[in-house]
Amino acid sequence: RKNRFIEPHKEVKKVCYVLFVGNRGLCGMYNSAILHFMQELAENDSRECSVIVCGRWGKDVIAKTGLNVIKTFTELKDTPSASEALALSEYLKSMYVTGEADEIHLVYQHYVSALSQKPTDEQLLPVKLEDNCETKDQDLIFAPDAASVLESVVQLYINNKVYSVMLDSRCGEHSSRMTAMTSATDSTSELIDELGLSLNRARQ
């Protein structure tokens, strides 16, 4: 069925990437890895690219990359809320409907495990339908009508997708920071033991 968030634009000239970074550093390669991934995406995309940054990390670092950053959401909490996700998703939906962007992608570190995150690029808009989603609805009754129900479901999907990615990326950030701090603590303990041994030898 036709829907403004499902129907692709006739020409895809402008692509917007929504880049999710951490709010702070001290989390290993988490931020630098996703930034490098974003740079590769922009370099390999022949279309006009813009970037929306979500997170407080690396404003100066990102500025030096030459990425076309058009907006930054810096007030996102370490534990994202549904209202924060809704504000972001409404902004992205407006960009797509008004033609400010012909495609919108979410770029983030997908949480794989406590020790591993995977840089990921997912298209948010236009919404891609699964190949097997076609159903025969001749015998179904929609209230108030099929188009209104589809509009509500698609908007709910977009909102929840943005919220899911925000939580996913934050989970990866916290896990990466925990791993980095554990590694730093272990290295410090080893260094203290080595220095203690050297001191004892010097005394002798």
Side-chain angles (χ1 to χ4, degrees):
R1 293 186 177 276
K2 292 185 178 181
N3 180 273
R4 56 181 177 161
F5 298 117
I6 297 176
E7 290 285 318
H9 292 178
K10 292 182 179 180
E11 289 186 276
V12 181
K13 294 182 178 180
K14 296 176 289 186
V15 181
C16 179
Y17 290 98
V18 186
L19 174 64
F20 291 85
V21 296
N23 279 336
R24 297 183 303 279
L26 300 177
C27 50
M29 297 294 292
Y30 178 88
N31 288 314
S32 57
I34 193 62
L35 179 57
H36 180 68
F37 182 70
M38 177 67 254
Q39 286 180 274
E40 289 185 338
L41 288 174
E43 289 172 0
N44 294 327
D45 199 328
S46 59
R47 301 164 294 186
E48 179 184 338
C49 297
S50 60
V51 178
I52 295 174
V53 178
C54 298
R56 294 193 296 269
W57 174 85
K59 182 178 180 180
D60 295 336
V61 178
I62 295 173
K64 292 179 181 178
T65 62
L67 293 173
N68 180 27
V69 178
I70 60 173
K71 188 173 180 62
T72 303
F73 287 83
T74 58
E75 302 303 319
L76 301 180
K77 300 176 183 176
D78 287 337
T79 304
S81 65
S83 59
E84 290 176 328
L86 182 60
L88 175 58
S89 63
E90 289 296 334
Y91 181 81
L92 298 178
K93 286 185 284 187
S94 175
M95 285 187 69
Y96 185 74
V97 172
T98 59
E100 190 176 345
D102 299 314
E103 266 187 20
I104 297 178
H105 293 245
L106 305 178
V107 181
Y108 64 102
Q109 288 272 37
H110 170 56
Y111 176 85
V112 178
S113 70
L115 299 176
S116 176
Q117 295 82 40
K118 180 182 178 183
T120 303
D121 167 28
E122 287 189 22
Q123 181 174 308
L124 177 70
L125 290 167
V127 174
K128 287 186 175 181
L129 299 178
E130 298 293 335
D131 293 336
N132 60 351
C133 70
E134 293 294 332
T135 57
K136 295 182 179 180
D137 56 9
Q138 290 88 346
D139 298 327
L140 301 179
I141 299 176
F142 295 92
D145 54 74
S148 299
V149 172
L150 179 60
E151 174 76 7
S152 298
V153 170
V154 170
Q155 291 218 38
L156 184 61
Y157 164 79
I158 296 170
N159 297 342
N160 286 337
K161 182 62 180 178
V162 171
Y163 190 28
S164 173
V165 168
M166 290 175 68
L167 293 173
D168 195 351
S169 61
R170 280 291 179 264
C171 185
E173 179 191 354
H174 295 322
S175 296
S176 183
R177 180 170 293 110
M178 179 185 68
T179 302
M181 292 299 99
T182 300
S183 177
T185 301
D186 292 343
S187 297
T188 302
S189 298
E190 292 177 6
L191 181 58
I192 291 174
D193 291 340
E194 291 176 4
L195 291 175
L197 182 59
S198 298
L199 178 61
N200 292 333
R201 286 175 179 173
R203 283 176 178 175
Q204 295 174 358

